[in-house]
């Protein structure tokens, strides 16, 4: 049965799936076509696009914010929109800094802040001469930061301190997880409900979770956080497929009363249908897809790949303990797990959502001089305490049905670009030149300004040798010129 999940989909199945997406209004004006050869399938224009026009805006199928980014940005777990308030976003970031400072300067007498009575002209920092982070063992970027008191940070967290003009940057109030876990928050009931139905009901560690072994689930999550958070995205794919397959089976069961063999066939058909979005993605086993880092000796390649396989096996063992379902056992096959993660490795999109915190400080800076100076009396200490990290964005990784079909070109006609209205985790592509109906839509996975050799080296990390028209032209020019040179050198 696992072989069925691992098999490449037929062209007819592929066409049916992408036509279904088009009928559902996904990717208006584009279509997926089989190209063949090294290119596999690609995304094509189904109408003419002008330069600068939106080509694609698509929500992710599965995805997660990077674990280490969670303190920098509190976002909806489903759509990645910032939530809460600006004060909360800033306060959360500063808590960890205060903790770091307390840890490393626990013997310092930094005192409490000395503010004016009304708070309007107070010096909000706890800065002490020479008390910057220098030499405290924090990371390099923190060296520019200035200290701030825990009380002030708390006033941001509790909402007691309202920053000037922050209401111009409203964020959606936090919607908590319906399962009662504190790991995931949402921007609305709609997102909370969608995530719950799509995968979270099985991956929630809260009291209402449908996971049968929360202890194992917690171990699975800890393992992913300690090793590679791509496992968390893979778990969404497995849990989502499982939930969809169960629902489809229930629907069929409702229509028929046949038992035995028929039931087994229903389970298989439901699983294959539920697996469809992942069946379509370009895949390779993860431990075979990861590029060999420069610092690993090629003679060690086998053991390097074995370690990745072992890591995937550990992760899958925990996940199995947590949510295994005998009826859909093939979903928990190591090769299937390896293919899912490999698919993310080859197709994933790094998601970046610009921060309202950055927009806010820019806004304060750009206010008329007097207003800006007045506001800065309150905001400057927070900006100083945040240091260069004030502009840190939300980032994560996601898998998208249509965007994952876009091939690379060193002479692309589109680019991934977030417009002002794209303050979420959607994938957005804009045309960088006019694109005619029927033309393939391509983006550059790398900085395409380098030489042929530089580009090929960068693309080696993506696991393929580029065969785009520019590379083909430049390679043949190179062959031609080296042949001419050889001819000239011949006696
Ligand atoms: C994100 S996927 C693009 C969709 C893919 N062609 C498919 O069939 O699903 C990236 C993979 O497409 C292939 N590919 C994309 N651009 C290519 C290029 N310029 N030259 C050769 N292969 C390319 C490589 O196999 C690469 O790993």
């Amino acid at each position: 049965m696992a072989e069925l999940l691992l098999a490449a989909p037929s062209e007819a199945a592929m066409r049916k799936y992408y036509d279904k997406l088009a009928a559902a209004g996904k990717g208006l004006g584009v279509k997926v076509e089989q190209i063949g050869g090294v290119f596999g399938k690609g995304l094509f224009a189904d109408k003419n696009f002008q330069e600068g026009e939106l080509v694609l805006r698509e929500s992710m199928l599965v995805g997660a914010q990077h674990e280490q980014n969670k303190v920098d940005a509190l976002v909806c777990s489903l759509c990645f929109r910032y939530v809460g308030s600006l004060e909360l976003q800033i306060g959360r970031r500063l808590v960890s800094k205060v903790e770091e400072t307390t840890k490393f300067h626990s013997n310092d007498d930094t005192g409490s802040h000395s503010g004016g009575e009304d708070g309007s002209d107070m010096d909000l920092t706890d800065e002490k001469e020479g008390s910057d982070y220098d030499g405290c063992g924090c990371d390099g970027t923190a060296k520019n930061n200035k200290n701030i008191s825990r009380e002030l940070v708390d006033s941001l967290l509790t909402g007691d301190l309202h920053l000037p003009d922050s209401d111009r940057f409203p964020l959606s109030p936090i919607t908590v997880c319906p399962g009662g876990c504190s790991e995931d928050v949402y921007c609305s009931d709609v997102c909370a409900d969608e995530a719950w139905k799509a995968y979270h009901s099985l991956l929630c560690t809260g009291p209402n979770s449908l996971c049968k072994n929360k202890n194992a689930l917690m171990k699975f999550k800890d393992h992913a956080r300690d090793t590679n958070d791509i496992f968390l995205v893979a778990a969404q794919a497995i849990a989502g497929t499982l939930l969809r397959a169960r629902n489809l089976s229930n629907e069929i069961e409702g229509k028929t009363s046949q038992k035995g063999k028929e039931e087994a066939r229903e389970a298989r058909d439901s699983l294959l249908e539920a697996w469809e979005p992942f069946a379509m993605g370009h895949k390779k086993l993860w431990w075979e897809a990861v590029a060999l880092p420069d610092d690993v000796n090629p003679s060690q390649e086998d053991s390097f790949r074995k370690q990745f396989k072992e890591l995937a096996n550990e992760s899958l063992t925990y996940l199995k303990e947590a949510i295994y379902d005998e009826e859909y056992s093939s979903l928990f096959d190591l090769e299937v797990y390896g293919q899912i993660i490999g698919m993310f490795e080859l197709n994933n999109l790094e998601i970046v959502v610009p921060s309202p915190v950055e927009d806010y400080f820019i806004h304060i800076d750009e206010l008329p001089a007097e207003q800006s100076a007045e506001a800065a009396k309150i905001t400057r200490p927070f900006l100083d305490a945040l240091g260069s990290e004030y502009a840190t964005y939300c980032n994560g990784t996601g898998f998208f049905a249509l965007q994952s079909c876009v091939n690379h070109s060193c002479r692309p006609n589109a680019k991934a670009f977030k417009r002002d209205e794209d303050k979420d985790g959607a994938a957005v592509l804009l045309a960088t030149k006019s694109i005619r109906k029927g033309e393939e839509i391509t983006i550059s996975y790398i900085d395409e300004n380098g030489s042929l050799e530089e580009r090929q080296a960068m693309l080696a990390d993506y696991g393929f040798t580029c065969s785009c028209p520019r590379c083909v032209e430049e390679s043949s020019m190179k062959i031609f010129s080296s042949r001419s040179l050889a001819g000239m050198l011949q006696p």
Side-chain angles (χ1 to χ4, degrees), residues 46-279:
D46 204 20
K47 63 171 197 126
N48 293 333
F49 288 99
Q50 309 276 336
E51 182 182 339
E53 206 182 327
L54 178 71
V55 171
L56 180 72
R57 189 186 138 84
E58 186 187 20
S59 303
M60 63 185 100
L61 280 178
V62 284
Q65 184 183 10
H66 287 312
E67 282 300 312
Q68 73 276 17
N69 180 249
K70 287 197 166 170
V71 72
D72 292 318
L74 181 66
V75 298
C76 172
S77 293
L78 189 80
C79 72
F80 284 35
R81 280 195 181 86
Y82 282 74
V83 293
S85 65
L86 210 72
E87 285 82 357
L88 181 64
Q89 295 286 345
I90 297 172
R92 287 177 79 253
R93 286 198 205 176
L94 289 176
V95 167
S96 58
K97 293 192 181 298
V98 172
E99 279 164 5
E100 274 173 20
T101 317
T102 319
K103 200 160 99 198
F104 290 104
H105 299 290
S106 54
N107 295 328
D108 283 3
D109 173 22
T110 48
S112 60
H113 74 81
S114 53
E117 292 272 308
D118 62 2
S120 58
D121 61 347
M122 56 193 182
D123 172 14
L124 298 170
T125 58
D126 258 347
E127 189 190 358
K128 214 180 101 172
E129 255 191 48
S131 71
D132 277 4
Y133 279 31
D134 295 9
C136 71
C138 311
D139 64 34
T141 47
K143 285 196 176 129
N144 300 327
N145 305 339
K146 295 183 180 170
N147 301 341
I148 196 153
S149 77
R150 178 70 208 216
E151 290 76 18
L152 262 176
V153 173
D154 283 347
S155 68
L156 284 179
L157 295 172
T158 56
D160 288 346
L161 180 62
H162 180 72
L163 293 174
D165 256 8
S166 67
D167 39 14
R168 285 177 177 248
F169 298 82
L171 303 178
S172 303
I174 292 173
T175 299
V176 295
C177 163
C181 75
S182 53
E183 289 167 24
D184 291 82
V185 294
Y186 300 93
C187 66
S188 63
D189 286 339
V190 176
C191 276
D193 195 46
E194 199 179 319
W196 184 257
K197 288 186 185 140
Y199 53 81
H200 190 62
S201 51
L202 280 179
L203 300 177
C204 175
T205 50
N208 304 329
S209 170
L210 304 183
C211 160
K212 58 187 170 64
N213 185 342
K214 276 190 265 174
N215 219 356
L217 182 62
M218 284 191 250
K219 282 192 190 149
F220 165 79
K221 290 192 177 189
D222 285 344
H223 176 267
R225 286 179 191 120
D226 290 346
T227 57
N228 194 329
D229 56 14
I230 201 73
F231 294 135
L232 300 173
V233 186
Q236 289 181 5
I238 303 273
T241 306
L242 198 54
L243 290 167
R244 275 195 302 279
R246 285 178 186 165
N247 285 343
L248 285 165
S249 267
N250 289 342
E251 274 172 29
I252 302 170
E253 249 167 54
K255 288 185 200 148
T256 166
S257 56
Q258 288 152 310
K259 294 263 176 271
K261 261 192 189 162
E262 195 63 21
E263 269 180 6
R265 210 167 51 129
E266 280 163 18
R268 192 201 61 187
D269 291 350
S270 307
L271 179 58
L272 285 179
E273 192 174 334
W275 178 245
E276 208 177 27
F278 303 113

Side-chain angles (χ1 to χ4, degrees), residues 173-479:
I174 292 173
T175 299
V176 295
C177 163
C181 75
S182 53
E183 289 167 24
D184 291 82
V185 294
Y186 300 93
C187 66
S188 63
D189 286 339
V190 176
C191 276
D193 195 46
E194 199 179 319
W196 184 257
K197 288 186 185 140
Y199 53 81
H200 190 62
S201 51
L202 280 179
L203 300 177
C204 175
T205 50
N208 304 329
S209 170
L210 304 183
C211 160
K212 58 187 170 64
N213 185 342
K214 276 190 265 174
N215 219 356
L217 182 62
M218 284 191 250
K219 282 192 190 149
F220 165 79
K221 290 192 177 189
D222 285 344
H223 176 267
R225 286 179 191 120
D226 290 346
T227 57
N228 194 329
D229 56 14
I230 201 73
F231 294 135
L232 300 173
V233 186
Q236 289 181 5
I238 303 273
T241 306
L242 198 54
L243 290 167
R244 275 195 302 279
R246 285 178 186 165
N247 285 343
L248 285 165
S249 267
N250 289 342
E251 274 172 29
I252 302 170
E253 249 167 54
K255 288 185 200 148
T256 166
S257 56
Q258 288 152 310
K259 294 263 176 271
K261 261 192 189 162
E262 195 63 21
E263 269 180 6
R265 210 167 51 129
E266 280 163 18
R268 192 201 61 187
D269 291 350
S270 307
L271 179 58
L272 285 179
E273 192 174 334
W275 178 245
E276 208 177 27
F278 303 113
M280 300 299 151
H282 173 63
K283 293 190 203 66
K284 213 170 172 183
L285 286 167
W286 181 49
W287 42 92
E288 286 172 12
V290 267
L292 194 69
D294 291 341
D295 58 353
V296 175
N297 189 318
S299 66
Q300 304 292 311
E301 183 164 351
D302 280 353
S303 80
F304 170 80
R305 301 207 177 280
K306 232 169 118 188
Q307 279 172 33
F308 274 77
K309 188 172 179 180
E310 193 39 48
L311 205 59
N313 192 32
E314 275 167 26
S315 167
L316 181 62
T317 305
Y318 290 129
L319 188 64
K320 249 169 129 167
E321 271 179 58
I323 64 168
Y324 184 72
D325 183 335
E326 179 65 39
E327 196 160 13
Y328 303 104
S329 57
S330 47
L331 259 184
F332 297 88
D333 181 275
L334 181 58
E335 299 265 307
V336 172
Y337 199 56
Q339 291 263 14
I340 295 177
I341 307 165
M343 179 175 76
F344 295 149
E345 181 80 24
L346 297 173
N347 299 279
N348 78 344
L349 182 73
E350 206 45 37
I351 298 167
V352 177
V353 190
S355 166
V357 174
E358 182 189 35
D359 295 345
Y360 172 71
F361 284 117
I362 291 173
H363 164 80
I364 294 295
D365 194 47
E366 288 176 350
L367 284 171
E370 213 173 299
Q371 236 180 308
S372 176
E374 194 56 31
K377 285 183 191 162
I378 311 286
T379 59
R380 186 82 220 175
F382 294 110
L383 183 59
D384 287 346
L386 288 169
S388 54
E389 293 147 50
Y390 85 97
T392 304
Y393 289 172
C394 159
N395 56 58
T397 186
F399 177 72
F400 299 79
L402 293 172
Q403 186 278 339
S404 65
C405 298
V406 182
N407 283 317
H408 161 87
S409 171
C410 296
R411 202 183 281 141
N413 55 17
K415 66 171 179 189
F417 186 81
K418 289 276 192 180
R419 304 159 303 167
D420 279 350
E421 58 266 50
D422 301 316
K423 296 204 157 125
D424 59 12
V428 184
L429 295 187
L430 299 186
T432 50
K433 44 182 87 158
S434 58
I435 305 173
R436 274 172 294 109
K437 181 176 175 176
E439 231 181 288
E440 186 182 0
I441 295 163
T442 54
I443 56 171
S444 178
Y445 298 177
I446 51 157
D447 173 1
E448 72 273 18
N449 291 318
S451 66
L452 175 67
E453 289 74 20
E454 284 163 345
R455 298 194 316 267
Q456 297 283 11
M458 282 188 266
L459 288 166
D461 276 350
Y462 289 79
F464 67 93
T465 307
C466 185
S467 305
C468 78
R470 184 175 158 198
C471 285
V472 172
E473 273 166 35
E474 289 180 17
S475 304
S476 53
M477 295 264 291
K478 221 175 111 187
I479 294 168

